Amino acid sequence: MKRSPGLAAAVNAAQMTAVLAGIIVLFSLYSRNFISLKTFQSIANQIPSMLVIAVGMTFVLLIAGIDLSVGSVMALCGTVLSVALVDWHWGVLPAVLVCIAAGAFCGLVNGLITAWWAIPSFIVTLGMLEMARGGAYLMTASRTKYIGSSIDVISEPLVLGISLAFLAALLVVAVGQLILNRTVLGRYIVGIGTSEETMRLSGIDSRPIKIAVFVFLGLLVAVASIFQCSRLEAADPNAGSGLELRVIAAVVIGGTSPLGGRGSVLTTFLGVLILSSLEYGLDQIGATDPVKRLITGAVIISAVILDLYRKRFRAA
Amino acid sequence: MRRTALIPLAVFLAAMVFCGASASAQGSAPRGRKPTIVLLMKSLANEFFLTMEDGARRYWDAHRQDFDLLLRGIKDERDVEQQIQIVDQMIAQGVDAIVIAPADSKALVPACARARSNGIVVVNIDNKLDDTVLKSKGLRVPFVGPDNSRGAEAVGRFLAAHLRKGDKVSIIEGIPTALNAIERTRGFTNAMTLGGMNVVSVQTGLWEMDKASTVAAAMLTEYPDLKAILCGNDSMALGAVSAVKAAGRREVRVVGFDNISAVHVMLKKGTILATADQHADLIAVTGIEYALQALRTGIQPPDTETPVDLVTP
């Protein structure tokens, strides 16, 4: 029996919504105020950064790549933004532009080297992880930079705790999903992840597409850094350490295959929601650090095992 | 192919012989020369150690004729392995004294013992080496550093004066395995217990701004009547402030620790009530002076506690 991909995606999303609902019910039993507008607002306030990076990471995983540099690049972009605003006394617009340029540049370097010399992105982005962190320390002389309220309108709640950053992140999810499902580029991206050789034999040069995917992620990382600086009113050169692993975990929980060729931006959104609700709930019930790590790790592994069964079910 | 592989090996061996020769030459230098002191810190990506480095450099600038100073740091606060390697490197280079802020109070003891058996003066600063392990090695190392617990208690007492008995407060601590994190939490808890406040939650923010922001947001949701958040360092205090602001709960007071430059504005605005300054520069300078004194007299100076000051707007 063959199922339509649309149906499979719907089943996938429904299963994940059920997992999310399960987490919410579980935490509401163990804490007093989990099911509340406050919880929703806090999560909505915190996830935009991670969400936009996860959207970009979904594309990178789809082409069977990986980007380990996102945490460091986010710190670099944040420090560029803060130095432009505070030390160079630039206006908000040029500062934001140079910040975005920094992110795109890092993505371009990652993409160019990965695609041109066919070096595994794992190694290239590992190098970028170090360089971007070094750059972030150089920009700020390793000191946390206080920015103040010049850009905090981005994360200020507009209505019901929903901020501009949250709306922008939702827009990114929508655009990402459209690119993936409704454009030729999206088809090519899935094609590269499924079989690059087949793409080559059909006369399609995969290199510019790969570069574009890394630049897209770089841009989104810069956007994430703007959200984060606006929320924290400061740029921390140590920001985002270990973020790459959390983002990859969220994307994989969302059912995107780390081996490429299969995934969806919408379910990445659900993956981010699941991981952040889990983290937030564990914080709220006052779980100790070891317990948090044990549970989060177990959830990641369970998600991948679940995904394996879903794939078999679909293949059957 | 095989022969070309031998070239780097040969170069490496030649370099080793050369380094060995120069190291032994240094070791047998005549008495009366300038001693070399190395200040071995933790991560130089941490503002605290940058202040320490600056202080040491300024002191050296004023005393260039007395000694040579090497400044070393490790990449990551938790990279114990790398710090041990640097100690061994310094032993091989034949320095005269090592002033060390150990990344781990137990794991660094054997390396310090090796340095001492090579006739190198060792002074322990900032984070105290573990007493039982020192004893098991038959070693006594002078310590120069602050009492983290006492500093945190001073911050906690200042906060308590702004609260009422029975008020709910929470603590965001550093990495729970770090001795200074444990000490600060102890000081905070003591002050709160003395003031009659109710500590409802203690969780780690891993020294990070963003993580602390998430933890603080969850605490604020769970305890709608929370009155204060005590943070183990200023980065985490900045994170807590952003959570307080996002939750619209400006009545919740936040205190920190370290007095980094980014919190100065916050102190003035009153969004952070107080912090503590450990004077990292003074710790380094005192450590270096100790090393010079021990080199001159051959006698080990006693332990010294450096001041921790309460900083309020």
Side-chain angles (χ1 to χ4, degrees):
Chain A
M1 191 170 81
K2 206 162 178 224
R3 281 156 211 277
S4 76
L7 181 67
V11 170
N12 193 353
Q15 280 175 339
M16 290 182 47
T17 314
V19 171
L20 182 62
I23 288 177
I24 293 172
V25 170
L26 208 64
F27 281 123
S28 58
L29 291 178
Y30 283 97
S31 78
R32 271 165 294 177
N33 301 309
F34 193 78
I35 295 194
S36 67
L37 187 60
K38 284 268 162 55
T39 303
F40 170 73
Q41 286 171 346
S42 300
I43 294 180
N45 179 38
Q46 273 157 11
I47 60 168
S49 303
M50 188 168 165
L51 187 53
V52 293
I53 298 179
V55 170
M57 188 68 84
T58 306
F59 282 91
V60 171
L61 290 193
L62 274 168
I63 60 164
I66 200 161
D67 190 339
L68 299 176
S69 67
V70 290
S72 299
V73 174
M74 184 177 80
L76 175 64
C77 294
T79 55
V80 167
L81 178 67
S82 69
V83 168
L85 283 170
V86 180
D87 293 350
W88 303 340
H89 306 287
W90 286 15
V92 171
L93 191 66
V96 161
L97 286 178
V98 72
C99 161
I100 287 179
F105 177 75
C106 293
L108 182 66
V109 171
N110 281 337
L112 267 179
I113 298 175
T114 303
W116 214 258
W117 282 285
I119 300 173
S121 50
F122 178 84
I123 302 297
V124 178
T125 57
L126 193 63
M128 180 56 76
L129 176 148
E130 287 293 313
M131 294 191 336
R133 185 66 69 189
Y137 290 152
L138 276 181
M139 287 298 295
T140 56
S142 302
R143 284 170 166 82
T144 299
K145 197 129 221 143
Y146 180 74
I147 296 175
S149 50
S150 56
I151 51 169
D152 71 354
V153 57
I154 299 168
S155 60
E156 206 95 309
L158 298 171
V159 58
L160 287 176
I162 305 285
S163 62
L164 217 55
F166 186 70
L167 294 177
L170 289 187
L171 186 69
V172 168
V173 170
V175 170
Q177 185 68 11
L178 278 179
I179 293 177
L180 189 58
N181 279 358
R182 297 268 181 266
T183 65
V184 181
L185 180 66
R187 294 291 94 197
Y188 284 169
I189 287 170
V190 173
I192 292 173
T194 314
S195 169
E196 206 176 338
E197 184 62 15
T198 312
M199 294 287 284
R200 201 180 60 78
L201 292 175
S202 6
I204 294 157
D205 187 359
S206 65
R207 286 177 300 186
I209 300 172
K210 280 184 162 179
I211 295 170
V213 166
F214 276 100
V215 172
F216 182 54
L217 176 55
L219 283 172
L220 290 176
V221 170
V223 170
S225 81
I226 298 168
F227 292 166
Q228 198 191 36
C229 289
S230 132
R231 183 163 59 85
L232 299 172
E233 289 189 20
D236 177 1
N238 289 310
S241 63
L243 178 71
E244 58 282 351
L245 297 181
R246 283 175 62 220
V247 169
I248 292 165
V251 175
V252 171
I253 288 175
T256 293
S257 165
L259 304 173
R262 190 170 54 86
S264 139
V265 175
L266 270 184
T267 54
T268 287
F269 180 31
L270 287 171
V272 171
L273 276 181
I274 287 176
L275 196 64
S276 16
S277 317
L278 183 70
E279 287 175 346
Y280 193 81
L282 287 170
D283 285 345
Q284 201 167 331
I285 62 171
T288 60
D289 194 47
V291 172
K292 280 179 197 168
R293 284 166 187 259
L294 284 171
I295 294 180
T296 313
V299 167
I300 294 170
I301 293 177
S302 322
V304 180
I305 294 175
L306 245 173
D307 186 53
L308 198 72
Y309 278 100
R310 275 202 304 245
K311 204 163 69 180
R312 282 192 191 156
F313 170 76
R314 241 174 284 158
Chain B
M1 201 58 212
R2 204 175 268 177
R3 217 164 275 169
T4 49
L6 284 177
I7 295 173
L9 183 66
V11 171
F12 177 69
L13 284 177
M16 263 179 63
V17 170
F18 177 75
C19 291
S22 62
S24 62
Q26 205 170 16
S28 60
R31 285 235 155 258
R33 75 194 162 93
K34 261 203 288 188
T36 302
I37 297 178
V38 54
L39 175 62
L40 177 47
M41 292 161 285
K42 289 198 245 175
S43 170
L44 290 181
N46 176 336
E47 192 162 338
F48 179 78
F49 290 103
L50 281 171
T51 313
M52 182 177 275
E53 192 187 12
D54 287 348
R57 212 183 285 269
R58 264 198 314 269
Y59 180 79
W60 185 39
D61 281 340
H63 300 83
R64 291 237 177 201
Q65 70 283 6
D66 298 334
F67 67 103
D68 280 327
L69 181 66
L70 298 176
L71 295 159
R72 293 286 184 276
I74 49 178
K75 195 176 108 185
D76 182 301
E77 205 80 347
R78 282 153 282 182
D79 202 347
V80 178
E81 197 78 21
Q82 198 194 357
Q83 206 181 28
I84 294 173
Q85 256 177 39
I86 297 177
V87 172
D88 286 333
Q89 239 173 52
M90 292 300 136
I91 296 173
Q93 271 192 32
V95 298
D96 299 282
I98 298 177
V99 178
I100 181 170
D104 186 292
S105 32
K106 290 181 180 151
L108 261 299
V109 173
C112 291
R114 272 199 297 280
R116 275 283 286 278
S117 62
N118 278 282
I120 296 170
V121 168
V122 178
V123 178
N124 173 202
I125 59 169
D126 178 45
N127 175 26
K128 196 169 178 349
L129 289 169
D130 189 88
D131 279 325
T132 28
V133 184
L134 280 175
K135 225 168 259 161
S136 78
K137 287 261 171 197
L139 207 63
R140 207 195 72 76
V141 175
F143 174 71
V144 176
D147 186 333
N148 275 285
S149 149
R150 200 180 297 183
E153 196 170 329
V155 174
R157 279 180 190 225
F158 183 77
L159 171 67
H162 291 75
L163 298 174
R164 276 198 294 265
K165 268 201 167 78
D167 276 354
K168 286 182 182 167
V169 301
S170 65
I171 298 173
I172 301 181
E173 65 175 351
I175 291 168
T177 47
L179 192 65
N180 53 352
I182 299 168
E183 290 285 297
R184 289 175 197 181
T185 304
R186 196 158 61 93
F188 283 152
T189 314
N190 282 348
M192 289 296 104
T193 318
L194 271 173
M197 281 89 220
N198 183 8
V199 181
V200 290
S201 180
V202 180
Q203 289 193 67
T204 177
L206 303 174
W207 300 128
E208 280 171 35
M209 191 156 68
D210 194 33
K211 179 68 194 154
S213 165
T214 315
V215 170
M219 286 170 166
L220 290 165
T221 314
E222 185 66 359
Y223 303 101
D225 49 351
L226 195 72
K227 289 292 190 292
I229 304 175
L230 298 93
C231 304
N233 75 0
D234 283 344
S235 289
M236 295 196 291
L238 287 170
V241 165
S242 87
V244 164
K245 192 180 155 205
R249 298 261 294 276
R250 288 173 198 264
E251 80 281 3
V252 178
R253 296 176 190 279
V254 176
V255 294
F257 202 99
D258 276 347
N259 193 29
I260 64 172
S261 47
V263 301
H264 295 166
V265 191
M266 297 265 178
L267 280 168
K268 247 179 247 150
K269 280 202 296 187
T271 42
I272 289 179
L273 184 69
T275 184
D277 195 331
Q278 304 191 72
H279 306 289
D281 42 354
L282 185 70
I283 298 173
V285 169
T286 316
I288 293 169
E289 280 175 341
Y290 259 48
L292 286 170
Q293 189 186 333
L295 284 171
R296 256 196 321 269
T297 60
I299 303 165
Q300 295 233 33
D303 292 1
T304 305
E305 193 182 312
T306 51
V308 184
D309 290 335
L310 176 68
V311 181
T312 58

